[in-house]
Amino acid sequence: MDFATPITSMTDPFGRDITYLRVSVTDRCDFRCTYCMAENMVFLPKKDLLTLEELDRLCSVFIEKGVRKLRLTGGEPLVRKNVMHLFRQLSRHLTSGALDELTLTTNGSQLARYATELADCGVRRINISLDTLDPDKFHAITRWGNLSRVLEGIDAAMAAGLKVKLNAVALKGFNDAEIPDLMRWAHGRGMDLTLIETMPMGEIDADRTDQYLPLSLLRADLERQFTLTDIPFRTGGPARYVDVAETGGRVGFITPMTHNFCESCNRVRLTCTGTLFMCLGQEDAADLRAPLRRSEGNELISQAIDEAIGRKPKGHDFVIDRRTKRPAVSRHMSVTGG
Ligand code: SAM
């Protein structure tokens, strides 16, 4: 099949073209980051997961309908059994020219093992989540993580020729003072750094009000030490970038709380059970598993996707304050994929 021209393109009611699919291939993770998960998380029974073949089929329908960028995430995507088989299968869409980019977001713990194979599957750029370079703090925030393994993973990714971007969630009183050092470290190694505001998703053991740090404050703090210049650079995601004169690197700001970026949203998110979320910050979803399993052809899936895109909401309404006790959405980030 010729994927170069989509049969139908996906445009939502607000005129936004949907060209970016993020897929959470598992809700499981080998870390328990305190802002993301409770320590005793209950994960989906394995039998509820779509098979890798089913995930491939759904992704391929989205590509046929105009998706140009595909990101596998989770949970931790690299802990899903045989996930490299899925990367390998999906890489055919890069070869055919139907897909511009196949990528992933990872905590880096398994990268030493998989970096070369990912590069071989056509992955060129990856996002690695890293909130601190202090081994004790790293262990405290991830509960189960080991910093040296992640650093080995970063080295392996770079050695395999992958372009690495670091993602750090800005957490008040935890890593705010360390951000300048994290930035110098990243830029010194040729990596961009993106800072993310913590979002109210799912019940965690901590109070999010204590963790929440508006990036406007962090940016003002950085501007006291560095010369930041806004630039139009985009990677197809929600980050807004600045150049840092002193380091020669770039910093991105993802600000779902202080600056809603929904007007340019080009994304939808598929979970490992085949549920499609049209917005990270809303509960509405569409089931694609039933149409997937109901017929061997893709017509029913395609119809279900069109219906879902037709009700993509204008945006999210995240709030973190002392009066708002419940998270804006009940599911954890690991379900929809960050
Ligand atoms: N396991 C992979 C990783 O660590 O990158 C992929 C999934 S993880 C859920 C994706 C990103 O979401 C990570 O950068 C993580 O820090 C971020 N994240 C998780 N919960 C969040 C929250 N409540 N607010 C903001 N970012 C969050």
Side-chain angles (χ1 to χ4, degrees):
M1 191 178 310
D2 174 17
F3 283 100
T5 326
I7 294 165
T8 50
S9 64
M10 295 180 288
T11 306
D12 79 359
F14 303 94
R16 297 169 297 191
D17 288 331
I18 308 306
T19 54
Y20 183 4
L21 176 68
R22 303 175 63 115
V23 184
S24 176
V25 296
T26 173
D27 62 331
R28 289 166 196 253
C29 189
D30 51 347
F31 290 3
R32 291 288 179 280
C33 296
T34 56
Y35 53 83
C36 184
M37 294 184 177
E39 185 152 23
N40 297 314
M41 290 286 287
V42 178
F43 293 111
L44 291 163
K46 291 210 172 108
K47 66 172 176 42
D48 287 359
L49 264 55
L50 296 186
T51 64
L52 296 177
E53 286 68 27
E54 287 174 324
L55 283 171
D56 174 56
R57 190 171 148 211
L58 283 183
C59 290
S60 300
V61 175
F62 275 99
I63 293 167
E64 197 177 324
K65 291 173 75 62
V67 158
R68 305 288 312 176
K69 174 169 174 173
L70 187 59
R71 178 180 300 279
L72 302 195
T73 175
E76 171 48 41
L78 296 181
V79 303
R80 170 96 197 231
K81 202 168 165 204
N82 284 335
V83 72
M84 293 315 299
H85 174 69
L86 181 60
F87 276 102
R88 180 76 56 197
Q89 288 297 107
L90 291 170
S91 72
R92 73 186 183 283
H93 298 300
L94 291 172
T95 313
S96 76
L99 196 60
D100 294 329
E101 185 169 21
L102 174 61
T103 184
L104 77 156
T105 300
T106 172
N107 64 26
S109 68
Q110 312 296 317
L111 268 181
R113 192 165 150 210
Y114 291 126
T116 312
E117 207 175 338
L118 285 168
D120 195 46
C121 290
V123 173
R124 293 291 168 257
R125 305 184 305 162
I126 63 174
N127 289 354
I128 302 180
S129 304
L130 181 62
D131 300 325
T132 174
L133 288 170
D134 177 315
D136 295 331
K137 283 167 88 173
F138 185 83
H139 186 66
I141 199 77
T142 61
R143 291 193 181 107
W144 296 2
N146 176 338
L147 179 64
S148 57
R149 270 188 77 180
V150 172
L151 297 183
E152 278 166 32
I154 293 176
D155 288 344
M158 300 197 94
L162 299 173
K163 179 105 181 110
V164 175
K165 178 164 79 72
L166 292 189
N167 282 344
V169 176
L171 298 163
K172 187 164 67 185
F174 176 76
N175 62 0
D176 34 358
E178 200 196 328
I179 297 298
D181 283 343
L182 186 60
M183 182 182 84
R184 282 193 201 91
W185 185 86
H187 290 177
R189 284 162 183 74
M191 300 183 275
D192 288 340
L193 171 68
T194 295
L195 303 169
I196 309 173
E197 284 173 338
T198 170
M199 292 168 242
M201 299 191 61
E203 295 288 352
I204 53 171
D205 301 324
D207 181 346
R208 289 194 192 272
T209 331
D210 296 334
Q211 303 179 326
Y212 172 54
L213 175 64
L215 285 187
S216 45
L217 293 183
L218 198 52
R219 178 173 172 151
D221 202 40
L222 283 174
E223 278 177 325
R224 278 191 274 279
Q225 305 173 57
F226 300 94
T227 318
L228 310 185
T229 310
D230 289 302
I231 50 168
F233 176 75
R234 294 276 182 276
T235 59
R240 297 286 173 269
Y241 284 88
V242 298
D243 266 337
V244 184
E246 290 76 4
T247 60
R250 278 188 294 246
V251 173
F253 295 90
I254 299 186
T255 53
M257 309 300 296
T258 52
H259 172 252
N260 190 309
F261 42 63
C262 305
E263 69 281 357
S264 59
C265 185
N266 56 353
R267 298 171 283 287
V268 287
R269 298 160 192 268
L270 182 67
T271 73
C272 56
T273 54
T275 303
L276 186 71
F277 285 95
M278 288 71 81
C279 174
L280 180 64
Q282 302 283 359
E283 301 283 5
D284 187 30
D287 174 36
L288 300 185
R289 181 171 57 183
L292 170 84
R293 292 188 174 165
R294 208 175 297 138
S295 95
E296 282 186 10
N298 292 337
E299 192 52 33
L300 294 180
I301 305 173
S302 181
Q303 275 169 17
I305 293 172
D306 287 339
E307 274 163 30
I309 302 289
R311 43 177 224 270
K312 182 170 162 65
K314 193 161 181 210
H316 60 250
D317 333 281
F318 287 135
V319 179
I320 296 184
D321 64 23
R322 299 242 173 245
R323 282 163 300 159
T324 315
K325 287 289 170 214
R326 288 158 56 103
V329 291
S330 54
R331 62 188 189 277
H332 292 89
M333 185 74 104
S334 48
V335 173
T336 343

